[in-house]
Amino acid sequence: MHDLRAMRQEEARFREGLSRRGASVDLDGILALDRRRRGLQTEAESLKSERNRLSKAIGKRRQAGEDTAASQAEVRAMGERIAALDAEAREVAAALERRLLEVPNLPQPAAPDGADASGNVVVREVGARPEFPFEPKPHWQIGEELDLFDFDRATRMTGAGFPLLRGAGARLQRALVQFMLALHVREHGFTEVAPPCLCNAAAMTGTGQLPRMAEDMYRLAGDDLYLIPTAEVPLTNLYREEILAGPLPIRLTACTPCFRREAGAAGRETRGLNRVHQFEKVEMVCFTTPAESDAELGRLVANAEAVLGRLELPYRVVELCAGDLSFAAARCFDLELWAPGQQAWLEVSSCSNFEDFQARRAGIRYRDAEGKAAFLHTLNGSGVALPRLLVALIENGQQADGSVALPAALRPYMDGAERLGPPG
């Protein structure tokens, strides 16, 4: 959520930022509601002051034995008018808040210009794409041959987009989770958290999922609870409506199931594990000062790169243009893995700086150098998402004999296994 005072005082900056995003926002309507709310409050406060003055005068006139009936009627009329003004002010304030919750974050000046994903900028490509003496297979074919997945049975029990991993496939995912959490905790200085996988509407609103993306969320019928789309939601809301007294930054990590309805239309890009409704993801969330948030974003990207680098996977870092930023992000870098079986780049991590956008929505503050409470900056990054990481490991590690070679960094978590082979 944005600061209304800043919106009033820096209207040109807001118009420029929203235009860069290509966001359709009725800024004039929002500012008009703000003027109306302030006007109602000013009129009500003026009447309250006048009512107090008249009430005191009535008291003195009563003591002097004067007739105060007319003045008392005037005070009652003022009270009725004040009640009406307060009620209208509450209605206008509620409408204003609803409108503000729909306004996306402004892109940082450093974010590239562009209307959509075609305007994204490849920052660097790391690692050589593998060359095979055979036609590389997609992961769904390899997984079937090695009995790593069972998409058909999963679809029968739940529906499309809910994968089932089995045998070495399930073991590989567990090993990856252990590897990533150990790396982030031991070397990157994060504190591991095991949060709830359900959050209420207030928490979802705090991080920006609601109200804009309500249709993409899974909501429990009869409850004000949602299955989390990412651990970003509970981790960020851990400090909801608090003033943090301890030193910053605070860095948290968690692995949770994630649930999202938006799995896309049926096709090659959604086949197998490419795009699913339920998946595991290791998340990183940071709370820091405004002065340090840009540097913290760089560290998040480096942390996610460390995962991919140690797994010996070819990847690239892409900076998102203003028109392709998520609703809450001011700046974002995606990490994409090369999938040779599909000849495609697949996003496996997004690292975003939200500045104070989420902190304002969730009421998270810290004490600045002068001891004043101020909104901090929040950031998050996938560290990383499991489905496409599995895709890349399987497709890049495939061998001529049908097995899949495992990177050295992962073998300690696989009881020393160097390859995945056919079961039995």
Side-chain angles (χ1 to χ4, degrees):
M1 185 180 289
H2 293 289
D3 180 1
L4 261 174
R5 181 179 297 179
M7 194 174 281
R8 290 194 298 268
Q9 297 176 348
E10 305 173 59
E11 183 179 338
R13 180 174 70 88
F14 275 81
R15 291 191 184 279
E16 179 189 9
L18 293 171
S19 176
R20 290 185 67 208
R21 265 187 169 274
S24 178
V25 174
D26 182 11
L27 193 58
D28 290 331
I30 290 173
L31 294 174
L33 279 173
D34 179 45
R35 287 191 297 271
R36 178 61 179 157
R37 176 183 60 85
R38 289 185 290 125
L40 290 166
Q41 290 174 338
T42 298
E43 185 179 352
E45 290 302 318
S46 178
L47 281 173
K48 289 173 184 176
S49 178
E50 178 64 13
R51 182 179 61 177
N52 290 339
R53 186 190 68 78
L54 282 176
S55 295
K56 291 178 181 179
I58 288 171
K60 292 179 180 178
R61 289 171 61 193
R62 278 179 173 174
Q63 291 176 355
E66 297 181 20
D67 181 10
T68 61
S71 295
Q72 286 179 293
E74 184 179 357
V75 168
R76 285 195 296 271
M78 281 184 179
E80 292 172 0
R81 176 60 180 162
I82 290 168
L85 289 169
D86 285 344
E88 186 178 354
R90 287 192 295 271
E91 291 177 3
V92 172
L96 180 58
E97 182 175 10
R98 288 194 297 270
R99 298 281 288 275
L100 284 173
L101 288 173
E102 294 280 359
V103 181
N105 203 353
L106 301 183
Q108 286 188 356
D113 287 327
D116 51 37
S118 65
N120 295 343
V121 177
V122 177
V123 178
R124 57 185 170 273
E125 185 174 332
V126 180
R129 304 183 201 181
E131 297 182 2
F132 300 92
F134 55 87
E135 184 70 23
K137 302 174 183 177
H139 70 280
W140 56 81
Q141 183 176 343
I142 301 169
E144 182 178 352
E145 294 169 354
L146 299 184
D147 199 24
L148 305 179
F149 322 124
D150 195 332
F151 297 119
D152 291 338
R153 287 188 172 92
T155 299
R156 287 206 303 271
M157 74 173 74
T158 307
F162 293 88
L164 185 152
L165 280 63
R166 60 186 297 162
R171 185 182 178 193
L172 178 59
Q173 175 166 278
R174 174 163 52 88
L176 285 166
V177 169
Q178 292 173 331
F179 160 71
M180 289 187 284
L181 288 176
L183 177 62
H184 295 320
V185 171
R186 295 173 186 169
E187 299 187 29
H188 298 156
F190 283 73
T191 298
E192 185 177 352
V193 179
C197 291
L198 291 166
C199 280
N200 59 29
M204 299 284 281
T205 301
T207 46
Q209 276 72 26
L210 293 180
R212 178 58 65 90
M213 292 168 278
E215 292 184 357
D216 291 338
M217 303 298 114
Y218 283 95
R219 182 180 183 182
L220 270 64
D223 291 293
D224 182 31
L225 292 174
Y226 295 79
L227 292 170
I228 60 171
T230 164
E232 170 198 344
V233 178
L235 291 183
T236 303
N237 280 278
L238 185 63
Y239 298 111
R240 180 180 178 81
E241 298 177 356
E242 291 188 30
I243 300 175
L244 303 186
L248 297 176
I250 294 173
R251 301 183 178 113
L252 307 176
T253 187
C255 180
T256 65
C258 304
F259 303 87
R260 301 179 187 179
R261 290 186 183 276
E262 44 85 31
R268 186 180 180 88
E269 68 277 4
T270 63
R271 192 169 177 184
L273 295 172
N274 282 349
R275 190 179 291 273
V276 291
H277 293 301
Q278 177 184 335
F279 58 95
E280 299 274 320
K281 180 155 68 83
V282 173
E283 192 77 359
M284 302 175 287
V285 166
C286 303
F287 304 83
T288 191
T289 63
E292 291 296 320
S293 66
D294 284 339
E296 192 70 13
L297 178 59
R299 281 190 284 270
L300 275 180
V301 174
N303 293 344
E305 285 192 80
V307 171
L308 307 185
R310 296 198 187 186
L311 294 176
E312 304 169 34
L313 294 170
Y315 68 90
R316 67 181 185 182
V317 179
V318 179
E319 182 167 9
L320 271 59
C321 69
D324 199 35
L325 289 171
S326 70
F327 176 80
R331 196 175 186 192
C332 179
F333 292 87
D334 279 359
L335 275 67
E336 299 177 344
L337 286 169
W338 177 246
Q342 303 170 68
Q343 292 292 295
W345 291 100
L346 302 178
E347 177 201 327
V348 74
S349 174
S350 283
C351 299
S352 302
N353 186 351
F354 306 111
E355 298 186 336
D356 65 359
F357 187 80
Q358 291 181 329
R360 287 183 179 278
R361 294 169 76 102
I364 309 172
R365 295 179 291 172
Y366 76 109
R367 298 286 181 188
D368 63 18
E370 298 177 354
K372 296 179 181 178
F375 290 107
L376 47 68
H377 281 196
T378 63
L379 303 94
N380 92 286
S382 314
V384 296
L386 269 298
R388 292 173 182 174
L389 181 58
L390 286 165
V391 169
L393 276 169
I394 292 168
E395 294 192 9
N396 282 280
Q398 60 184 295
Q399 305 295 304
D401 64 0
S403 65
V404 173
L406 297 175
L410 196 59
R411 293 170 192 168
Y413 301 91
M414 292 288 289
D415 294 330
E418 298 182 1
R419 293 174 181 255
L420 300 180

